[in-house]
Amino acid sequence: MATRLFSRSKIPILASIVLQNLTKNPSKNFSFLAFKPKSPIVDFVAHEPILGLRQYHDGRPRGSLWRGKKLIGKEALFVILGLKRFKDDEEKLQKFIKTHVLRLLKMDIVAVLIELERQEETILAVKIFDIIRKQDWYQPDAYIYKDLIIALARTGKMNEAMQVWESMRKEDLFPDSQTYTEVIRGFLKDGSPADAMNIYEDMIKSPDPPEELPFRILLKGLLPHPLLRSKVKKDFEELFPEKHAYDPPEEIFGKL
C-alpha cells in the first residue's frame, strides 16, 4: 500500500521540481527539446498493421480469385464471376457477354482470359478468346494460343485443343516445345496414341529444332505400343546421340 501511495505522489513532486528549474534558467533547461537523435525516427504509416493486426478493411475482395491477382480490375473480376455463374445456361451466358464482356477494355478482357485459364474454366476461356480474335486491336500472338492450348490439354479437352491448334496454324504460328509436350501428353493420357503420333510428326517438321522432353514423354507413353515406340526411339537416338533412352525389362512389356 505504501509503495502504491509513493508511486502516485511521484508525479506532483517531479512536476514541482521541473517548474522550479524552468523558472531559474529557462534557456538552459529547454535545450533538451532541441536534442536531435543520431538515428532517424521511423515514421509509422497509419494504415499498416501493427503486431500483425489489420486496423481496417481495405475494401478489396477476399479469396483465391483475388490473391496474387491485383492487376485484375473490378469490371474484369465481375465478368469472371458472371461467366462462371451463367456457364450452364447458354441463353443467359450470351446475354451477359453482350451486355458486359463486349464493353471491356483490351487489358481487362485479356486478364479475364488468363484468369479463366488459371481456374481451368477452359470452355469459357475459348469463348473469350473467340471474342478477342474479333476485336480491331487483335494481332496473332503465339503466346496466347500456347497458354490456351496447354490449359485445354491439361484439362483433357483435346477436341477443343485441336480446334485452337488449327486456328493457330491458319495464322502461320507454330507451337513451341512446351506446347508439343503438353498436347502429346494429353493425347497419351486420353488413350489416343495415334493422335499423339500425329502431333509428333508435326513437331519433327517444325522449323524449330525439337527438344528432348517430348521424346521422353512419348517413349514412356508408348511402352504398350512397341512399333510406334521403336520409331520414336530411332529418331531420338539420331537427334540426341549423347542421350540414353531407357528400356524397361522385357518381362514387363515384352521385347521392344
Side-chain angles (χ1 to χ4, degrees):
M1 180 67 70
T3 304
R4 185 180 302 176
L5 292 174
F6 176 75
S7 63
R8 290 179 179 178
S9 63
K10 285 195 297 182
I11 295 177
I13 293 173
L14 290 174
S16 61
I17 294 173
V18 170
L19 288 175
Q20 291 177 4
N21 290 333
L22 290 176
T23 54
K24 292 179 180 179
N25 193 353
S27 60
K28 181 178 180 181
N29 289 281
F30 270 111
S31 62
F32 72 92
L33 296 177
F35 171 73
K36 296 181 179 180
K38 295 182 179 180
S39 59
I41 299 176
V42 178
D43 294 330
F44 290 96
V45 182
H47 64 268
E48 289 185 353
I50 300 177
L51 298 178
L53 300 177
R54 185 180 294 276
Q55 293 178 310
Y56 67 95
H57 189 282
D58 56 12
R60 293 183 299 179
R62 297 289 179 253
S64 59
L65 178 62
W66 185 264
R67 190 178 298 117
K69 298 293 177 183
K70 297 180 180 179
L71 295 180
I72 300 180
K74 292 183 178 179
E75 288 194 16
L77 181 61
F78 172 78
V79 166
I80 292 169
L81 298 175
L83 291 172
K84 293 171 64 176
R85 178 182 179 184
F86 300 122
K87 64 180 180 180
D88 296 326
D89 190 326
E90 187 63 25
E91 183 178 353
K92 291 183 179 180
L93 180 62
Q94 291 301 323
K95 183 177 180 181
F96 183 82
I97 289 174
K98 291 180 181 179
T99 55
H100 294 90
V101 177
L102 295 180
R103 71 179 187 179
L104 288 176
L105 299 176
K106 175 182 177 180
M107 295 306 298
D108 285 333
I109 194 168
V110 172
V112 169
L113 173 64
I114 295 173
E115 183 61 23
L116 289 174
E117 291 170 353
R118 188 188 73 84
Q119 296 187 29
E120 297 186 348
E121 296 286 350
T122 50
I123 299 301
L124 290 174
V126 171
K127 292 181 180 295
I128 296 300
F129 181 62
D130 290 338
I131 294 173
I132 290 176
R133 293 179 62 198
K134 297 176 183 177
Q135 303 303 309
D136 295 335
W137 47 261
Y138 170 75
Q139 293 181 354
D141 189 330
Y143 291 100
I144 293 181
Y145 275 106
K146 169 186 174 178
D147 293 341
L148 183 54
I149 291 172
I150 290 177
L152 289 165
R154 288 178 175 175
T155 54
K157 297 179 174 61
M158 301 310 299
N159 291 333
E160 291 80 0
M162 294 315 299
Q163 291 175 4
V164 179
W165 181 289
E166 292 300 326
S167 298
M168 176 179 60
R169 296 307 300 270
K170 290 179 181 178
E171 294 187 355
D172 295 327
L173 300 174
F174 290 89
D176 62 357
S177 179
Q178 184 184 5
T179 310
Y180 279 117
T181 300
E182 294 299 334
V183 173
I184 289 173
R185 194 199 307 270
F187 275 126
L188 292 174
K189 186 178 179 180
D190 194 47
S192 304
D195 292 324
M197 287 299 296
N198 290 334
I199 299 300
Y200 168 75
E201 294 293 343
D202 188 88
M203 180 183 70
I204 295 297
K205 299 174 183 177
S206 174
D208 297 327
E211 297 185 9
E212 181 181 350
L213 182 58
F215 283 90
R216 294 203 176 276
I217 297 295
L218 268 172
L219 290 172
K220 181 179 180 180
L222 293 176
L223 286 174
H225 309 278
L227 294 177
L228 296 177
R229 188 179 189 275
S230 62
K231 182 183 185 308
V232 175
K233 181 181 178 182
K234 180 181 178 182
D235 294 339
F236 176 77
E237 292 174 346
E238 291 178 357
L239 290 169
F240 306 96
E242 72 283 0
K243 302 294 183 178
H244 174 69
Y246 169 75
D247 291 328
E250 294 184 8
E251 59 268 18
I252 298 179
F253 289 101
K255 187 176 181 181
L256 299 175

